[in-house]
Amino acid sequence: SVRVNNVQNTLLKNLLDACGASLGFYTVGYAFAFGGSFSNPSQTTFIGNTNFFLMDVENQAFWLFQFAFAATSATIVAGTLAERCQMSAYLCY
């Protein structure tokens, strides 16, 4: 549990994580994860090389679904560090 005086700090960390995750996943995360060639399995790549900034992506609902997992993995760290480090140290992370 988190003490009442640290609730705002934890909420701010979670909000910053969600904003950072949305920008990162929008710019390069989705492209790295799903930007490879799926039509021909012999041409798939380890890291995707298309769909940066969601260019030529038709299914935004799939992007939003995958973003939720990316943001959740980032906010888990904020929960484990609650009351254990200062905000400046967390921003360096």
Side-chain angles (χ1 to χ4, degrees):
S1 73
V2 179
R3 289 182 286 177
V4 174
N5 60 349
N6 289 325
V7 169
Q8 289 180 337
N9 190 15
T10 303
L11 287 173
L12 179 63
K13 287 179 185 177
N14 284 333
L15 180 65
L16 290 174
D17 283 341
C19 292
S22 66
L23 289 174
F25 198 68
Y26 170 75
T27 56
V28 295
Y30 184 83
F32 282 173
F34 300 103
S37 173
F38 294 112
S39 60
N40 188 355
S42 65
Q43 294 179 350
T44 58
T45 58
F46 177 69
I47 292 178
N49 52 14
T50 59
N51 297 337
F52 290 98
F53 295 95
L54 296 181
M55 302 282 267
D56 302 324
V57 173
E58 297 175 4
N59 191 355
Q60 280 84 20
F62 182 73
W63 178 87
L64 186 64
F65 181 73
Q66 295 301 325
F67 159 71
F69 289 105
T72 300
S73 64
T75 57
I76 286 173
V77 175
T80 60
L81 293 177
E83 298 184 353
R84 291 184 177 88
C85 73
Q86 295 178 351
M87 185 60 126
S88 59
Y90 186 75
L91 290 176
C92 289
Y93 157 76

